[in-house]
Amino acid sequence: GGRINVAIDGPAGAGKSTVARRVAEQLGYIYIDTGAMYRAVALAANRAGISPGDADRLAELVKTIDIALEPGADGQTVWLGGENVTAAIRTREVTLKVSEIASHEAVRMRLVEMQRKLAASKGVVMDGRDIGTHVLPDAEVKVFLVASVKVRALRRYQELSESELVPIEQLEQEIAERDRSDESRDISPLIRAKDAEVLDSTDLTIDQVVEHILDVCRTKT
Ligand code: C5P
């Protein structure tokens, strides 16, 4: 059959990126982590001394920003200008600022434009918050991946490096706060698309989630 687009949305830490990467791998598709693009903008803003609330300077910044996602065997490499920022966009400093950065219309318009171009030829698995609702409303498969805050905080905790260790209760609070911020923003908030299937990964393994999505994809190709 023909190639399709797969949209995977959901809150922080629900397992979207791992699942999306594996689904893409199995289908021979390209995986696009849109959160990484917002993180790259947050990193660039931070370095330029632009505060997350400064709409005008952020609008200027995204006019010329050069973000590239390069698929690779062991994950995706993120480039900002000519610099590999794959690790730098994962620090807590960036994580704590990214939601406010992502709430600005100019930032979203610029990144959504890039995301639609990347998906124009189909054969893409894209994860984010607004893919099924806004970026790719015509995606053939839409999944809304959720999990309890406790499980999501635990997963994030296990990803932290030793120098970044913080109490798990604090992570729970930060995740809940980022959910709240992503769900309540005016432009393209985190919300399930009407035609998206809700998948709760709290008590499922990654393999189970991946297999289920692949089954759905097979019915569409
Ligand atoms: O997916 P990840 O947790 O890396 O995303 C970081 C942040 O980027 C999210 O908390 C959200 O504020 C923003 N984001 C977004 N829209 C997307 C993807 C991410 O607003 N499509």
Side-chain angles (χ1 to χ4, degrees):
R3 301 203 301 176
I4 61 170
N5 281 336
V6 182
I8 303 183
D9 290 299
K16 297 184 302 292
S17 56
T18 311
V19 165
R21 185 181 312 119
R22 299 253 306 259
V23 168
E25 211 173 83
Q26 291 298 313
L27 295 172
Y29 282 12
I30 292 170
Y31 163 55
I32 296 163
D33 174 0
T34 63
M37 299 167 79
Y38 288 95
R39 286 170 179 275
V41 174
L43 178 68
N46 205 23
R47 286 178 173 178
I50 301 173
S51 97
D54 192 335
D56 291 343
R57 289 189 69 199
L58 285 169
E60 275 305 308
L61 176 77
V62 293
K63 271 188 199 165
T64 55
I65 202 163
D66 172 24
I67 298 168
L69 304 180
E70 180 188 309
D74 38 59
Q76 169 196 258
T77 304
V78 183
W79 298 92
L80 177 62
E83 182 191 350
N84 182 342
V85 294
T86 312
I89 60 167
R90 300 290 160 195
T91 62
R92 280 186 75 242
E93 195 179 13
V94 168
T95 301
L96 291 173
K97 288 185 176 163
V98 62
S99 281
E100 189 175 356
I101 301 265
S103 70
H104 294 282
E105 182 169 25
V107 172
R108 302 203 69 83
M109 279 178 55
R110 179 78 184 95
L111 294 193
V112 168
E113 179 194 351
M114 291 170 59
Q115 290 154 12
R116 287 186 179 147
K117 274 191 193 145
L118 290 167
S121 325
K122 304 263 183 184
V124 155
V125 181
M126 193 174 279
D127 88 34
R129 303 293 189 288
D130 61 339
I131 311 306
T133 52
H134 183 64
V135 180
L136 306 176
D138 297 330
E140 286 79 0
V141 174
K142 296 184 185 179
V143 173
F144 197 76
L145 194 60
V146 299
S148 71
V149 172
K150 274 210 171 343
V151 162
R152 292 188 284 132
L154 182 63
R155 290 174 186 164
R156 276 289 142 95
Y157 184 79
Q158 288 161 344
E159 284 170 9
L160 291 180
S161 63
E162 221 165 289
S163 64
E164 290 190 314
L165 278 188
V166 291
I168 196 154
E169 294 76 19
Q170 189 180 331
L171 286 178
E172 272 179 39
Q173 272 177 22
E174 288 171 6
I175 285 176
E177 170 54 28
R178 195 141 63 96
D179 288 355
R180 197 202 53 73
S181 164
D182 289 343
E183 286 163 358
S184 65
R185 72 171 171 240
D186 293 333
I187 313 158
S188 305
L190 169 65
I191 188 175
R192 179 180 78 88
K194 286 195 182 69
D195 52 351
E197 181 189 356
V198 179
L199 253 179
D200 188 333
S201 76
T202 306
D203 300 313
L204 296 177
T205 65
I206 301 271
D207 281 340
Q208 288 173 316
V209 175
V210 169
E211 271 316 309
H212 177 81
I213 296 174
L214 286 172
D215 282 344
V216 176
C217 289
R218 283 178 197 118
T219 69
K220 306 275 183 177
T221 53

